[in-house]
Amino acid sequence: MGGLKTKQDIPDSDHVLRYCKPSNIVDGEPSPGAFAIRPGEQSLSVNWLEFFGKETPTVRQIEKVQKAMGAKLALKRSGRFARINAGSARKKVAGLEIKHLPTPKNRSHAGIFYPGGDNEETALELANMVKPEDIFPVTHQK
């Protein structure tokens, strides 16, 4: 399982997964609202996909992410997961940080920290990075 220590950067070659609720899915794709940091939060909550192994097929990794997320978040069948490559995101948005922030119940948890509090522009940039092959359905709900 993942070898990074808390608050270390997610490697450029790895990916994070963001759950996008149904109201943030437009024509099958996540809208910028899916990547907006909520008031009072310091980072966008995501999960480090390769925490569960680089050789694991993506569908299995997503199932493990869903299990790690547990009952904290009610996943809706019409919601989607969006995958973002950490290195590509850092190249696209100067000053963007993606850190491993494990919790006792979710060891794959990570956060995307936006530069200078530029929430709207950064959310738009991240949404535009997500290609159709980076969008995955919810496979089960609690």
Side-chain angles (χ1 to χ4, degrees), residues 13-141:
S13 60
D14 287 2
H15 302 82
V16 292
L17 203 63
R18 171 74 176 165
Y19 172 71
C20 306
K21 61 186 180 179
S23 62
N24 285 325
I25 301 296
V26 178
D27 296 326
E29 297 183 7
S31 68
F35 300 97
I37 296 176
R38 294 181 210 144
E41 294 184 353
Q42 296 180 346
S43 66
L44 184 70
S45 182
V46 293
N47 285 78
W48 176 26
L49 198 56
E50 284 82 4
F51 178 85
F52 297 108
K54 292 183 186 279
E55 302 304 318
T56 307
T58 302
V59 172
R60 186 75 178 122
Q61 288 172 316
I62 291 170
E63 289 173 351
K64 288 180 178 184
V65 166
Q66 287 180 179
K67 185 176 180 182
M69 291 171 74
K72 179 184 174 197
L73 182 62
L75 302 177
K76 305 287 186 194
R77 186 168 296 282
S78 56
R80 295 288 179 263
F81 284 102
R83 178 179 62 186
I84 295 176
N85 174 265
S88 295
R90 288 186 188 108
K91 286 179 186 171
K92 184 80 170 170
V93 181
L96 189 82
E97 295 183 53
I98 306 174
K99 304 276 186 187
H100 185 212
L101 304 172
T103 67
K105 292 187 179 184
N106 184 353
R107 302 298 299 153
S108 69
H109 185 260
I112 301 178
F113 295 83
Y114 291 4
D118 190 1
N119 195 14
E120 288 183 26
E121 184 65 30
T122 302
L124 178 62
E125 292 287 350
L126 292 177
N128 287 337
M129 286 184 63
V130 178
K131 305 294 182 228
E133 61 269 18
D134 296 318
I135 301 168
F136 302 93
V138 171
T139 60
H140 72 275
Q141 308 87 261

